[in-house]
Amino acid sequence: MTLGSDLEVSAVQPRRKMAEQLARDGSVADPRWLAAVEEVPRHRFVPGFYLSSGKLDEHGLTVWEPVTAELDRGKWLTAAYSDATLITQFDDQEPDWTAPRIRHGGAPTSSSTLPSLVLRMWADADLEEGHTVLEVGTGSGYSTALACERLGSADITSIEVDPHRLAVAADALHGSGYTPTLAVADGLYGYWPEARFDRVVAACSFRSVPDVLIAQTRPGGKILLTLSGWLYGYARVLLTVAEDGTAEGRLLPGTVSFMSVRAHAAPAFGNPAHWAAGLPEKGRPARHGPERISATSPQAFHLRFLVQCAVPHAQMATVGKVVHLIDVVHGSTASLTPCDGGWEVREAGPVRLWECVEEVLDAFDSAGRPGAEQFELRVCGAERQQLLVHPRMPGLELSGR
């Protein structure tokens, strides 16, 4: 028995166990998707990846450990068949998996998304046999393989902006017997040669809905994507495209985050102390503290997205106990400092950032704190994307500009 065939045999049981666990957790309700999980060899799509060591270095940076079959075959195979996201790239730089090194910090820029989320996305997109599908963000190719296994390769198109990532994914897909249409392309512009699609599913996030994706979707077709922004608030939406080229749909419940499409990534904002130097000496008591949007609760996760719609160019940074909001587009800043059991806010610039945040939080509370599924997104061209919850909150506008 060759090493390759021995590995394939060793992977059968972990793959079956992962499928069984996903079924028990409720991640796979459709037996056809469960069958796809049992067939697709995820280990072929993740020859190398990084896992957090659970430790910080002396600078407070996360220590990431490389995992490959050569370093530790058992650990690699176990992780490959776990319901976990596996980081395959940092800072747009491809690792040398022949001699991988421990990493200290860095921003993940490509990964193999945890299988339960992949399946959730495909299920929420309401895919059926005969649908033509555009996947935005091939990544490792594992999610593409699941779609091919479930629907057949002929109707699947997957695009990826990183040519090296796509080459690795293509090798794994073709080596596993899947032949979807693959192309190096920017998700902001879809893929006209294969349009129009019955379904568009994005494995990356956008600040607003690209109008070209609507144009490339058939009337009655659906677009499933994640909306995000520079405050790292996220929401998923399933849009249905109308005959007139508009689209609308409700936000979906749950907390899901994806890496931003690269053109929508947050810009560097410099040193918060430099921004704070221009603030007035005295501030005012804040009506709401920053924990309303920075906590780890589902409601804070939801609120961060709503607030982001009101201040789309704001970024948040915490230095010690002081929380800064910084807007590099308008040159505005706000700083919140703990004071007498509450918070004092100081603001400068043309946009009163925290005042805008407080207005959203006031409206949210007055409306009875509606959940994500109570919001509807209406898209009428790139310049008109409005988030509505009738009739209790004023509309919020999405901005990707």
Side-chain angles (χ1 to χ4, degrees):
M1 180 178 289
T2 66
L3 179 61
S5 61
D6 178 52
L7 175 58
E8 297 308 315
V9 171
S10 299
V12 171
Q13 188 63 19
R15 185 160 65 246
R16 184 177 298 126
K17 286 185 176 180
M18 184 177 76
E20 292 171 352
Q21 184 63 52
L22 292 171
R24 284 195 299 270
D25 294 344
S27 300
V28 187
D30 188 331
R32 294 170 295 182
W33 282 113
L34 182 61
V37 174
E38 292 177 338
E39 289 297 326
V40 175
R42 191 188 187 200
H43 66 278
R44 296 185 189 174
F45 296 88
V46 286
F49 49 87
Y50 280 94
L51 295 178
S52 170
S53 67
K55 301 175 183 178
L56 301 179
D57 66 13
E58 65 273 19
H59 303 293
L61 300 175
T62 300
V63 177
W64 297 92
E65 297 179 341
V67 181
T68 66
E70 289 73 21
L71 291 173
D72 187 331
R73 178 167 159 171
K75 182 178 181 179
W76 169 73
L77 199 58
T78 298
Y81 289 105
S82 65
D83 189 27
T85 293
L86 306 175
I87 307 300
T88 54
Q89 185 191 78
F90 288 88
D91 303 322
D92 299 330
Q93 298 175 355
E94 193 66 23
D96 177 5
W97 292 115
T98 62
R101 298 179 179 180
I102 291 176
R103 283 196 60 96
H104 294 255
T109 48
S110 190
S111 66
S112 177
T113 303
L114 65 162
S116 61
L117 177 52
V118 172
L119 292 162
R120 182 176 171 186
M121 294 290 288
W122 286 132
D124 285 344
D126 192 25
L127 295 179
E128 293 295 343
E129 283 80 359
H131 281 164
T132 53
V133 179
L134 172 64
E135 179 189 38
V136 179
T138 312
S140 71
Y142 176 66
S143 61
T144 317
L146 288 172
C148 291
E149 181 67 35
R150 167 74 173 78
L151 301 174
S153 298
D155 293 326
I156 307 297
T157 298
S158 186
I159 60 175
E160 169 61 49
V161 72
D162 185 323
H164 184 86
R165 281 280 93 213
L166 188 68
V168 174
D171 285 345
L173 285 161
H174 296 156
S176 301
Y178 304 116
T179 56
T181 298
L182 301 173
V184 176
D186 191 323
L188 284 175
Y189 304 100
Y191 200 59
W192 284 107
E194 297 296 313
R196 292 184 169 183
F197 300 99
D198 295 300
R199 296 291 186 270
V200 175
V201 179
C204 52
S205 64
F206 300 85
R207 296 183 70 202
S208 60
V209 181
D211 53 348
V212 71
L213 294 184
I214 295 176
Q216 292 179 16
T217 303
R218 301 181 195 279
K222 297 180 180 181
I223 302 171
L224 178 66
L225 52 73
T226 301
L227 299 168
S228 66
W230 296 350
L231 284 179
Y232 298 101
Y234 296 87
R236 286 192 314 148
V237 64
L238 181 63
L239 297 166
T240 299
V241 175
E243 291 280 354
D244 62 1
T246 62
E248 62 179 54
R250 291 196 176 275
L251 301 189
L252 301 179
T255 55
V256 169
S257 61
F258 278 104
M259 296 173 191
S260 295
V261 62
R262 296 186 183 185
H264 283 186
F269 54 76
N271 188 336
H274 296 164
W275 291 84
L279 292 170
E281 289 187 11
K282 291 186 178 181
R284 63 171 176 84
R287 296 198 305 276
H288 300 278
E291 69 278 358
R292 288 291 304 272
I293 61 173
S294 63
T296 57
S297 67
Q299 186 178 97
F301 188 93
H302 172 47
L303 270 175
R304 193 155 59 248
F305 173 73
L306 299 181
V307 162
Q308 188 174 262
C309 296
V311 286
H313 305 300
Q315 298 181 68
M316 188 162 55
T318 301
V319 180
K321 295 182 179 181
V322 180
V323 178
H324 301 275
L325 261 67
I326 297 167
D327 182 335
V328 301
V329 175
H330 298 102
S332 299
T333 188
S335 290
L336 292 107
T337 305
C339 181
D340 299 328
W343 294 84
E344 180 187 64
V345 59
R346 296 179 297 148
E347 299 182 90
V351 179
R352 290 298 188 256
L353 295 173
W354 197 250
E355 193 172 312
C356 293
V357 171
E358 289 177 322
E359 289 175 359
V360 174
L361 297 178
D362 286 342
F364 178 77
D365 292 340
S366 296
R369 303 187 174 187
E373 64 276 9
Q374 294 176 261
F375 287 80
E376 181 180 85
L377 179 63
R378 294 180 182 175
V379 182
C380 303
E383 302 302 324
R384 183 65 172 172
Q385 303 194 15
Q386 192 171 37
L387 194 65
L388 301 170
V389 52
H390 288 299
R392 300 176 298 170
M393 279 187 72
L396 295 168
E397 299 286 337
L398 295 188
S399 174
R401 305 297 187 270

